Amino acid sequence: MIKNADATTIARAAALLKAGGLVAFPTETVYGLGAHALDAEAVVKIFEAKERPFFDPLIVHIAEINELPILAQAIPPKAEKLIEAFWPGPLTLVLPKTPKVPDIVTAGLDTVAVRMPAHPVARALLAEAAIPVAAPSANRFGMLSPTRAEHVKAQLSDRVDLILDGGPCEVGVESTIIKLIGEDAAMLRFGGIPLEEIEQLIGKIAIAVGNVVESPGQLPSHYAPRTPLAIIHGEIESDPEAAYLAFRDIPKGRFREVEILSSAGDLREAAANLFAALHRLDSCGARIIFAEEIPELGLGRAIMDRLRKAAKKNSC
Ligand code: TXA
Ligand code: MG
């Protein structure tokens, strides 16, 4: 059931979460599928609803910094700096876990991923529930992430207790994930906070994106539309059976459907529009989606990472 996220439905959603139910809710990055993070039986329902393999660990969402010590054992100085600068916001930190976090949440790892979302509905829900909430993106495993409540409804409607509709997500790509153990810092996923901004604060960090040992669950086939997707370099000819994802300019050729990510060439706007544009192109009946390359700076890295994964899925 999909409900406008007002105070009454948020209170109902919080009660559902506390009782072990599943609630989809908006965050500034993408919609999440939440369950009580310290209740292993509730968390199992997330994996069932998404058809997600158990080796793929979840991110735990908190409302207040005083919840962090319940989940994480050690908060290195670099983590403190990042928390101060970017929380609440689209940054997830992977830290050594406490025994309180069930193994199902972390896929048996000795670390836990934590984030404090900025979206007012997510914040109100987490504050009202007053529990840490495990929440992956609210899509079926391997499919496109949802940036609108309707995307969640299309993939999961019969499998969740409630979908809170808080409108379109502002950031539009998932959070940046950084692992911080002692002095070491490694980037596990490009996302809503650009690498440049992280490095400005804590210096050069290792890039472990795509490294399955460091970052389990980051399979090459994530974020895929059903329609095959190919990244193109330069101009291509008209193709009435193909859909076209452009960065800023209308393509010269003619295509079945065209989406422009940002006519101003703004990478933030492009990231915010990415998944909704892919959802639309995926449902227009095209035989293939051609996607232009995006400049790989700032949020462009997160966008290209999602496009490469979408292209990979369709080529294997
Ligand atoms: O923006 C986001 O982060 C969204 C919203 C809902 O918060 N959530 C999200 O969750 O993208 P999900 O499940 O789609 O991605 C979580 C990923 C896992 O696939 C895994 O790669 C990484 O986070 N992760 C979680 N725990 C980890 C750990 N202990 N060590 C390494 N990577 C971990
Ligand atoms: Mg996901």
Side-chain angles (χ1 to χ4, degrees):
M1 191 193 325
I2 197 165
K3 287 265 182 202
N4 199 22
D6 56 24
T8 317
T9 42
I10 290 173
R12 207 173 120 222
L16 279 167
L17 285 175
K18 282 198 276 195
L22 280 190
V23 173
F25 62 97
T27 82
E28 70 280 23
T29 57
V30 300
Y31 275 72
L33 178 62
H36 191 324
L38 305 180
D39 175 348
E41 275 174 47
V43 174
V44 170
K45 294 183 195 165
I46 294 178
F47 288 87
E48 286 168 349
K50 282 187 60 110
E51 297 171 36
R52 177 181 174 115
F54 287 108
F55 60 74
D56 191 356
L58 304 175
I59 295 172
V60 181
H61 298 66
I62 57 173
E64 297 297 337
I65 196 72
N66 59 17
E67 293 175 79
L68 187 57
I70 302 170
L71 308 166
Q73 287 222 3
I75 320 228
K78 283 180 184 166
E80 274 172 14
K81 274 192 181 169
L82 292 174
I83 287 169
E84 197 176 323
F86 299 116
W87 277 9
L91 176 71
T92 294
L93 300 181
V94 173
L95 302 165
K97 84 173 196 77
T98 66
K100 284 220 170 93
V101 184
D103 280 341
I104 176 100
V105 171
T106 61
L109 298 169
D110 52 10
T111 53
V112 61
V114 188
R115 131 168 157 82
M116 188 191 288
H119 194 292
V121 172
R123 289 186 64 71
L125 176 66
L126 292 167
E128 175 105 21
I131 48 167
V133 171
S137 48
N139 52 291
R140 295 221 188 163
F141 183 70
M143 314 247 298
L144 286 176
S145 296
T147 54
R148 286 155 199 254
E150 309 89 75
H151 299 158
V152 183
K153 191 172 166 218
Q155 292 193 30
L156 295 173
S157 69
D158 52 335
R159 301 179 177 198
V160 297
D161 295 306
L162 182 62
I163 301 170
L164 282 179
D165 187 349
C169 303
E170 229 171 78
V171 176
V173 288
E174 292 83 350
S175 58
T176 298
I177 305 181
I178 311 237
K179 184 172 176 178
L180 292 150
I181 309 288
E183 279 293 294
D184 296 337
M187 173 78 106
L188 304 190
R189 176 171 76 181
F190 293 121
I193 303 280
L195 174 66
E196 294 88 333
E197 289 185 27
I198 307 270
E199 290 193 328
Q200 219 167 38
L201 214 65
I202 60 166
K204 277 265 169 230
I205 66 173
I207 308 290
V209 175
N211 174 337
V212 285
V213 177
E214 283 286 6
S215 191
Q218 290 294 300
L219 299 179
S221 62
H222 263 160
Y223 313 111
R226 287 187 199 87
T227 316
L229 181 143
I231 297 169
I232 54 162
H233 319 277
E235 263 176 41
I236 56 166
E237 284 176 18
S238 295
D239 184 342
E241 284 177 24
Y244 193 99
L245 183 68
F247 173 42
R248 61 183 301 168
D249 299 318
I250 301 169
K252 294 221 173 72
R254 282 187 307 110
F255 299 91
R256 186 181 197 98
E257 202 77 60
V258 173
E259 287 284 338
I260 294 176
L261 290 177
S262 168
S263 49
D266 180 292
L267 290 166
R268 277 185 195 278
E269 187 183 17
N273 288 329
L274 177 69
F275 284 122
L278 283 172
H279 276 284
R280 283 192 292 270
L281 295 181
D282 197 21
S283 54
C284 77
R287 82 180 159 79
I288 188 164
I289 299 168
F290 291 123
E292 286 182 0
E293 280 183 307
I294 308 290
E296 284 193 74
L297 354 130
L299 286 185
R301 278 200 192 86
I303 299 175
M304 279 309 288
D305 172 71
R306 307 309 185 262
L307 289 178
R308 284 202 187 97
K309 284 182 172 143
K312 196 117 180 183
K313 156 113 174 220
N314 304 126
S315 67
C316 54

